[in-house]
Amino acid sequence: RLDPVEDLGARDLASTLTASESGREAWLARAADAAAAIAAMPDPGINPAFDAALFVRELDLAREAVFDLLLGAPLTPAERECHDAWARGLVAEILEHPAALCHRDFHANNLFASGEQIGVIDFQDLRRGPDAYDLASLLWERTTLDWMSEEIAASVVERFAARRGVEAAALAARLRRVLLQRAWKVCGTFARAVAQGRGAAYLRHLPPELALVRRLLSETPADRSFAAVLEPRCAAVC
């Protein structure tokens, strides 16, 4: 494992992106190249591939953290079934996406500006999964959420798609569904930390992350059913 201070410097990509608004798209393009390079690598077998049990467990932990722990408003049995049916359907959908090697934590705190390239650390969770997974980590998480736009994201998707030789519009559609799974998982991570008194700083990031989940929910019956459960409760946080 690389030591970020000794080998890549103390300034991670999150700091670089915050300090230089004008250079964001160039650095994100380089990050897309790094993600594409990882995706093209053969699986070294460090971890088992993403599977339904892992993804569903992440969503169930998010349900518990947001509704039970943070809001103190557990779902009714009928609401719980809406959430669980939505979670199972979403997971089944994204597991049908083309698979690639994923860093899994490909966010700007694990990336470093190294000359004109991107250095990457923390490979311990490397595994195969949906091909848009690392883009979801890069584009719409804590370190980029405040300023990320659809236009910037689209340019990164196009760059990654070109490097991978896939159609950009199809990749963008897959990204929305993978991002929905990961965004709800991240809501759970933030909510659990806040509820347990060990992550007050995350309270600022939880409302925009919940807003992202709400925005990504589609007009499918399963998504609409979960939206009907989520919306009334969001008022307490958003």
Side-chain angles (χ1 to χ4, degrees), residues 145-222:
L145 195 56
D146 287 343
W147 49 263
M148 183 57 60
S149 68
E150 293 290 347
E151 293 75 20
I152 293 173
S155 69
V156 177
V157 168
E158 289 174 5
R159 177 86 170 211
F160 182 88
R163 292 294 184 272
R164 296 287 295 146
V166 300
E167 204 272 316
L171 177 64
R174 295 196 295 274
L175 173 61
R176 288 185 66 85
R177 303 306 284 171
V178 172
L179 181 56
L180 177 57
Q181 191 279 338
R182 185 163 174 92
W184 184 232
K185 175 212 168 194
V186 170
C187 284
T189 301
F190 292 173
R192 189 175 300 274
V194 173
Q196 294 177 347
R198 56 182 178 82
Y202 290 122
L203 190 58
R204 182 176 75 83
H205 301 295
L206 186 54
E209 197 72 37
L210 281 168
L212 176 61
V213 170
R214 295 162 69 191
R215 178 171 63 80
L216 290 167
L217 288 167
S218 71
E219 294 300 321
T220 64

Side-chain angles (χ1 to χ4, degrees), residues 26-72:
W27 281 114
L28 287 171
R30 294 174 184 127
D33 291 347
I38 292 171
M41 293 168 55
D43 185 359
I46 298 172
N47 297 295
F50 282 115
D51 61 14
L54 188 153
F55 275 140
V56 169
R57 176 64 173 160
E58 288 179 341
L59 297 178
D60 193 51
L61 288 172
R63 172 201 57 76
E64 177 188 63
V66 173
F67 298 131
D68 299 10
L69 298 181
L70 182 67
L71 299 179

Side-chain angles (χ1 to χ4, degrees), residues 6 50 96 105-106 117 122 152 203-204 207 223:
E6 180 178 335
F50 282 115
E96 290 297 316
D105 287 317
F106 197 80
Q117 297 182 314
D122 286 352
I152 293 173
L203 190 58
R204 182 176 75 83
D223 279 17

Side-chain angles (χ1 to χ4, degrees), residues 1-38:
R1 171 182 167 177
L2 291 174
D3 182 311
V5 175
E6 180 178 335
D7 297 305
L8 294 174
R11 190 180 181 86
D12 62 18
L13 190 62
S15 300
T16 300
L17 294 173
T18 299
S20 176
E21 181 176 347
S22 62
R24 283 174 180 167
E25 292 195 43
W27 281 114
L28 287 171
R30 294 174 184 127
D33 291 347
I38 292 171

